[in-house]
Amino acid sequence: MAESSGTNGPTNFDAEYDVIVVGYGYSGGIAAIEAYDAGAKVLLVDKMANPGGISVCSYGAMRSAHNADEAFKYLEATNGGRTPSSVNRALADGMAEIEPYMRKLAEVNGAIVNPREKVANYPFEGYDTFYQTLIEEIPNFDPDTYYPHVRGAPGGARVFKTLEDNVAQRDIDIWLESPVQKLVYKTDGTREVQGAVIQTNNGIRTVKARKAVILCCGGFEANEEMKRQYWQMKPVLAATTNSNTGDGIRMAQELGARLWHMWHYHGSYGFEHPEYPYAIRMKRLPDWIPGREETAVVQMTWIVVDKFGKRYMNENPPYTQDTSHRPMEHFDSVTQEFPRIPSYVIFDEVGRRRYRVGAPTRNDPDAHYDWSQDNMQEIDSGLIKKADSIAELAVMIDMEPAELEASLTRWNELCVTKNDTDFGRPSGTMMKIQRAPFYAGQVWPVVSNTQGGPEHDAQQRIIDVEDNPIPRLYAAGEMGSAWGHLYMSGGNLAECLVTGQIAGKQAAGLDPWG
């Protein structure tokens, strides 16, 4: 047994590694791979029985860049001065290497890696340098069979399978169902990290990290108290997992970490199901770029109204799955309530038949719900209300019929001219709501993932409140993301790959303590 003194925990360690990686999603997998390849003995731990976090549920389109300098210009703009240039620079440089990096990882299982030209969401300088790297196929791999507990796009599962296969090829120890309770660190004022206390199926183990600990354990979308304290609007429902409860943020705070971007989260709006533990986001429609509204040509079948039946937003902003929750934040100081929480989506029989309006995602073997293709299951269960007239529908959802009828009349008038002069929804997404029966579904703000957490520098070292790196403590992925103002589709996936590489290499390159 190794020994240490002057720490906040036990002086004896039950096991020793060079690097402990906390959290086994994209960033944790990459960090473990890179630390091992740099010569470190690595322990990879996750609190859940099934690794993958929310990464495995993603679309799997990793945001990549043809030119790092152009990518840097974009990141400087999209982060709105809330992220240091050095951090943006490191992310931009890494984005330019994602495609060849994934091609190298894909050699382990013959995965087919293909690029897809798709520029960034907003027309900031440098936006057209971006594209997406995807894994389109893995021979003899069926995501639904291999990950039956996951609901999401198959691309995300393919990326995670490729990371799993790479981890399995290396002598990396993996402990699942092993939440980290706290970090072990010196109490001599340096707060140098020395290991972690981990709850395992065989009891509590205190593990030495000779070089560093890397926190890759995600954000706090499943921590209700943190959401209440850091966000104005409430409630905000989580879409994918119950595991991201801010554990790494709490551990880093104990060592004096400075926090950033706590207000910012990747969000949308969606349904709350009484027998399903996660919010169900609305169907994702294609993104569009401001100034190129004519490219938004997929009709959205619904409009959104507040508690009083009044429309108040562009239901299809450029990146609906990221910012469409933001208009719901309005607080009425007279009534002391959020009049847009909950809101209601309104659609008609034509919309009901066009496509399913809900899209559950999850990484949870105990959650079982799939949205019906024709929306009838949800209508029959009462999750979506059905009526033969708008007036009847309004009564069912406790609204003044005249208000809801006026909103629908106005909307249909705008659809005639294909010009939403009220809120600027692209013309190609507009369609009348006029054919009975009519439908209403209650919707709430939804968080897909948070961006806030401990601040880090370009080397992924966690920074304390006095602007100093905490010795031997690193972060990667969404555990304090660099996205500080506007997100970019595929950006968190890219960040997981880039920051996981940086953190793994930096941690493995340290001299052992003691």
Side-chain angles (χ1 to χ4, degrees), residues 31-346:
I33 290 167
E34 291 299 320
Y36 178 87
D37 288 354
K41 181 182 180 183
V42 179
L43 173 64
L44 176 57
V45 302
D46 197 280
K47 69 192 289 187
M48 306 303 288
N50 297 289
I54 61 174
S55 305
V56 70
C57 303
S58 71
Y59 191 70
M62 297 160 280
R63 183 58 70 173
S64 308
H66 293 295
N67 183 285
D69 292 337
E70 293 299 301
F72 173 68
K73 294 175 185 177
Y74 181 92
L75 296 181
E76 287 283 276
T78 197
N79 280 315
R82 302 173 192 255
T83 304
S85 294
S86 59
V87 174
N88 289 333
R89 182 77 241 186
L91 181 55
D93 289 345
M95 285 176 155
E97 300 297 327
I98 284 177
E99 183 183 344
Y101 182 75
M102 288 307 302
R103 291 190 184 280
K104 180 181 178 182
L105 292 184
E107 294 174 0
V108 71
N109 58 14
I112 298 173
V113 178
N114 276 327
R116 182 177 66 184
E117 292 300 323
K118 186 176 182 182
V119 297
N121 296 94
Y122 304 99
F124 299 121
E125 185 178 6
Y127 80 111
D128 54 356
T129 194
F130 291 102
Y131 68 103
Q132 294 174 337
T133 298
L134 302 96
I135 294 181
E136 291 192 350
E137 183 183 349
I138 299 176
N140 304 312
F141 171 68
D142 175 23
D144 291 336
T145 301
Y146 197 85
Y147 300 122
H149 54 283
V150 171
R151 286 294 178 273
R158 295 184 194 116
V159 174
F160 189 67
K161 179 62 165 60
T162 301
L163 299 187
E164 274 198 302
D165 290 347
N166 274 274
V167 169
Q169 196 181 50
R170 293 160 170 83
D171 188 18
I172 296 171
D173 287 350
I174 302 171
W175 295 359
L176 300 179
E177 297 182 276
S178 299
V180 175
Q181 295 188 333
K182 65 178 183 177
L183 299 175
V184 178
Y185 58 92
K186 285 186 178 180
T187 56
D188 60 359
T190 65
R191 293 159 298 149
E192 180 183 47
V193 174
Q194 296 186 316
V197 178
I198 305 172
Q199 176 69 57
T200 75
N201 290 328
N202 297 316
I204 294 176
R205 304 190 70 186
T206 303
V207 182
K208 181 177 182 179
R210 289 186 289 256
K211 293 187 175 183
V213 172
I214 307 174
L215 299 177
C216 305
C217 38
F220 60 94
E221 55 266 27
N223 187 314
E224 295 305 317
E225 181 58 25
M226 290 183 73
K227 291 191 291 185
R228 278 191 291 267
Q229 295 301 330
Y230 288 113
W231 303 342
Q232 175 182 248
M233 75 169 86
K234 61 179 183 178
V236 180
L237 311 180
T240 304
T241 182
N242 60 9
S243 64
N244 285 354
T245 52
D247 304 339
I249 299 173
R250 170 184 53 80
M251 288 185 278
Q253 281 184 289
E254 183 180 343
L255 276 76
R258 186 164 66 199
L259 304 184
W260 65 0
H261 309 155
M262 296 301 287
W263 70 275
H264 190 201
Y265 62 91
H266 182 47
S268 57
Y269 53 87
F271 303 96
E272 181 180 35
H273 193 287
E275 299 177 359
Y276 183 71
Y278 309 115
I280 300 173
R281 293 178 295 187
M282 305 295 295
K283 174 182 174 64
R284 176 167 185 171
L285 299 180
D287 304 334
W288 56 275
I289 298 171
R292 296 186 184 180
E293 284 79 359
E294 71 280 357
T295 63
V297 295
V298 178
Q299 289 182 324
M300 177 180 275
T301 59
W302 63 87
I303 62 169
V304 174
V305 298
D306 65 14
K307 295 178 181 179
F308 307 107
K310 295 181 179 180
R311 183 169 175 252
Y312 63 88
M313 67 150 78
N314 169 11
E315 299 85 353
N316 193 351
Y319 189 4
T320 304
Q321 291 286 341
D322 178 55
T323 61
S324 57
H325 65 288
R326 293 190 184 185
M328 305 178 86
E329 191 164 14
H330 169 64
F331 179 72
D332 187 331
S333 60
V334 175
T335 62
Q336 295 292 302
E337 67 173 8
F338 294 92
R340 301 170 180 176
I341 303 175
S343 289
Y344 292 85
V345 291
I346 309 295

Side-chain angles (χ1 to χ4, degrees), residues 273 280 283 351-360 369-381 383-384:
H273 193 287
I280 300 173
K283 174 182 174 64
R352 195 274 299 172
R353 295 182 178 185
R354 182 146 298 185
Y355 46 66
R356 60 180 184 177
V357 298
Y369 186 78
D370 292 314
W371 198 277
S372 61
Q373 289 293 334
D374 60 3
N375 302 296
M376 289 305 301
Q377 171 181 285
E378 291 68 35
I379 294 166
D380 292 342
S381 72
L383 184 66
I384 294 176

